[in-house]
Amino acid sequence: MKSRFQRILASALAVLTMSSLLPLQTLAAERSQAEYIEKDMYVVAKYGDAAVEAIADGLFNHSSVITTIRRYNVLVSDFGSLYSAVLAKYPELFYVDRAWGYSTFTSNDSTYIYRIVPQYNMDAEEAAEKMDAFYREADFYLDQVDEELSACRDDFSKAVTLHDEIALDAYYDDVNYYNSNYTFMIDKYGVCENYTRIYAYLLGQLGIYSEIIDCDDLKHEWLKIKLNDTYYNVDVTWDDPPQDRPGQVLHNNFLTSDDKRWQIIYSSYGVDAYYDSYYPSDDTTYDQALYTNYYSKMCKLDADTTTMYAVNRGTKQIVSYNYVTDTETPVYNINATWYAGGGYYYGGAYSSLEMYNGKLYYNTPGAIYSFDPKTNETELVYTNTENTSLYGLRIRERNLYGIFANSPDVTGQTVLVAELPEIHYHNYSDASWLWNGDTAELVMTCECGDTVNIPATVTLDINEASYIATAEYNGTTYTDTKPIDALENVSELSASTINLGDTVTVYADAQGGLGTYEYAVQYKKATDTKWTTVQNYSTNDTVTIRPAKTAPYEIRVTAKDELENTAEKVFAVTVNPPLLVNTSEVDKTTVPLGQNVTVTASATGGTAPYTYAVYYKKANDTKWTTAQAYGTNNTVTVTPLKKTTYQICVKVKDKKGNVAEQVFEIAVTDALLTNTSTLSADTVTLGQAVTVNASATGGKAPYKYAVQYKRS
């Protein structure tokens, strides 16, 4: 039995747990879901659920007399079992005494219950107050498995989490004269009946079926629960360790078959105890499950997996346990030993396991650590300064408790050692919609500003010309309606002004409306009334047009959607004459000094007639010399006067004053070499001499001369 100190501490923990571990309350405990709890099924089936409800309604109303029972013709011999079943199915009727009075009537030689006179152990006002406290504390347990507040999404993880929380919180006490489902829920002590019925009540709130099993041979009560359409034995009482070691919970009696259950009973008591059960438990799937090696709480961190974390005492490891494949993966080694005295150490890992804010918390004899399975990071949270070792830990709200003892076989003392950082739990309650054309997202916003986007299913209501978006978040369906946007033509042109001979490209485009768009493209001169069709309605969205005249044009683009709605857009395009192009030429680009360069001026495009101007200069000069001012003459001669590089500029001007120029570079080389030699006489008498006067111009001086002669 716990010491007075431990009992006070248990009450303190109870006060903490009366408010939810998490601030957001979604699963609120309520009147027992009796249809999910089976007890004395033969007698219940005989009189029906309506008879059970009639008795329960009277007890919930604190009625001094219940007369509605008469209509069900309940035999006096059956009433005790039926009344017992009612109290088992509704554990919050803790204020109802097990004794009762009744009146009978006889019909056809059988005696039936006419009315019931219940006995209550507290008045209606006190019962109502305590029932509220009972439900508030039940809220705490339900929060541990609520799908919005925890990672539990399947019946296995919910069932084992409730199993562990009850065993960790409560301690077995058959010494107190008075204990009830209320004292068990609030003060955390009781006997097997209380363990079993509170567990059945919480499972029923989650829609999990159970059957309460009584064994007269053992004077013991436990539960069968239904998982995956199969019933298994669960004994939370026997999984709460002897000496009630806080932070430790067994799993030997979780989801066993009947064969395994009988083996456990026989090995513990040496008797072949009999118990009556409506539902057989033949499935041995979990009889040898690995979790029977786990003495810690099983913690579920990830809702998207079928794994839970636990401490394997034998291997001294934190393991990730897959409860579908019954396999474990070590994730962290607890490198610690617990001293047993005399130079000896205990062989196992006496560590609890808790979870908070996505991390696991475990203990060694001298410290408490957090471990993050996602990053494999370990952090020291608390260092033990006591004279005893840590044999466990518990977390409630933000409070971290260490469990101190001298050995694993004593209850130990639970002490508050640290306050953990506050967690913000998102409450996505503000719904809004984000539309993008014909797609939509439901946006759920938390008060902190964080958002969750849920893609919506969008349907079309043609009659209302609107889209209807539907999305679901946490069991609530949200809808939004958005009118189909008006069809809008957003086509564009490559240019609004072009020259004759060039093309203009139409980029057809639309938005709004419905579905796939088709485009028709037409054009005409602005002064015409008739349109020329380039493209009838087609999904092709790129069309090229080459106007044939120099004139203002109009291009019309019409978009059509699947509802036959149309939207047109008309563009104005100015077609100018072709660009003026200077096509002038020179007859040579290299010329000897003194020779002429002939310029032949010409042009295309623009607007005829053309006039031409010719200018020239040395390349390194800045000033041009006019060879010809603008005129119709298109042939001009330029004579360079220096041996250097010249530039000749030819300008062409059309009728509208547009000018196009072209510049040529002319390299001027030396003048041509000319032989200017002479003779002293053309005719001489035989014997006379002829004098040769050799001379030259051009070329590059100095000159050298050679003289030869011969008979002609």
Side-chain angles (χ1 to χ4, degrees), residues 86-87 227 256 288 315 369 375 384 398 477 511 524 592 680:
V86 172
L87 297 182
L227 291 183
T256 63
Q288 305 301 323
T315 64
Y369 299 88
T375 63
N384 182 9
R398 295 169 55 194
T477 300
Q511 61 189 23
K524 68 179 181 66
S680 59

Side-chain angles (χ1 to χ4, degrees), residues 33 42 67 79 91 94 159 198 356 369 392 407 505 522-523 598 632:
Q33 304 296 306
Y42 301 101
T67 58
F79 180 72
F94 49 79
I198 295 302
Y356 182 80
Y369 299 88
S407 83
T505 301
Q522 299 166 304
Y523 76 100
T598 301
T632 57

Side-chain angles (χ1 to χ4, degrees), residues 412-432:
Q413 292 187 342
T414 304
V415 179
L416 177 64
V417 298
E419 186 176 63
L420 300 176
E422 187 174 0
I423 308 172
H424 171 72
Y425 293 92
H426 293 301
N427 180 7
Y428 297 105
S429 57
D430 184 12
S432 60

Side-chain angles (χ1 to χ4, degrees), residues 550 577-580 604-611 653-658:
T550 300
L579 286 175
L580 178 64
T604 60
T607 303
Y610 310 116
T611 56
K653 182 163 62 176
D654 69 359
K655 182 178 180 181
K656 293 188 175 182
N658 298 312

Side-chain angles (χ1 to χ4, degrees), residues 193-205:
E193 175 184 300
N194 309 125
Y195 280 87
T196 299
R197 298 187 183 193
I198 295 302
Y199 189 40
Y201 166 79
L202 295 171
L203 291 175
Q205 295 289 296

Side-chain angles (χ1 to χ4, degrees), residues 139-158:
D139 286 340
F140 161 74
Y141 290 105
L142 294 176
D143 280 352
Q144 311 312 303
V145 294
D146 181 83
E147 292 190 7
E148 186 168 336
L149 304 180
S150 77
C152 296
R153 296 291 187 273
D154 56 82
D155 287 350
F156 180 94
S157 62
K158 293 176 182 179

